Amino acid sequence: MYKLQKQYYEGKNVTDVRLTQDEPYRDFVVSFEGKIEGLSDEEITQRSLAKLAVEFDPSLAFKDLMGKFGAMDTRLKSVEDSISMLMLKDMGLEEIGGEI
């Protein structure tokens, strides 16, 4: 179980979270933008550990970005299809376009 210490720095608008554990010994400091006072200690611990996991294994962040890229690509294709259909409709050729 991690012990939690939080320190908000107003000038920087950053909250530093220190996670410590005795067995096995662990001592990490993670920074978050803004105040995080509305989060429970459990939420802060989970978010801190997730942030550390990305630092220790950047492939996790890359995998997340690839998922977001795939979703954006799908949405872009949908928008392109809609624009194509609208252009065909405006030209009176929607029956030629059929199902895109």
Side-chain angles (χ1 to χ4, degrees):
M1 182 64 137
Y2 284 96
K3 294 178 198 167
L4 211 60
Q5 295 174 332
K6 299 172 278 193
Q7 177 68 47
Y8 176 69
Y9 297 97
E10 192 169 328
K12 294 180 179 181
N13 191 31
V14 169
T15 301
D16 282 348
V17 175
R18 184 175 184 188
L19 300 167
T20 56
Q21 177 178 291
D22 292 329
E23 283 295 324
Y25 179 75
R26 302 282 188 264
D27 190 350
F28 302 108
V29 177
V30 180
S31 295
F32 293 93
E33 189 173 320
K35 292 184 180 182
I36 58 171
E37 61 194 19
L39 300 175
S40 70
D41 284 354
E42 181 63 28
E43 287 176 294
I44 294 170
T45 300
Q46 292 305 316
R47 290 183 184 195
S48 298
L49 292 174
K51 202 169 193 181
L52 286 169
V54 169
E55 289 182 23
F56 289 133
D57 185 4
S59 67
L60 297 172
F62 181 74
K63 186 176 180 181
D64 182 50
L65 286 174
M66 289 305 294
K68 289 178 182 176
F69 174 76
M72 290 295 290
D73 192 43
T74 301
R75 283 190 264 170
L76 180 59
K77 176 75 171 124
S78 175
V79 169
E80 289 172 342
D81 290 348
S82 296
I83 290 170
S84 295
M85 286 303 294
L86 287 171
M87 289 174 64
L88 288 172
K89 187 175 182 178
D90 284 347
M91 295 182 342
L93 303 172
E94 62 267 16
E95 65 277 352
I96 294 174
E99 187 72 27
I100 294 182

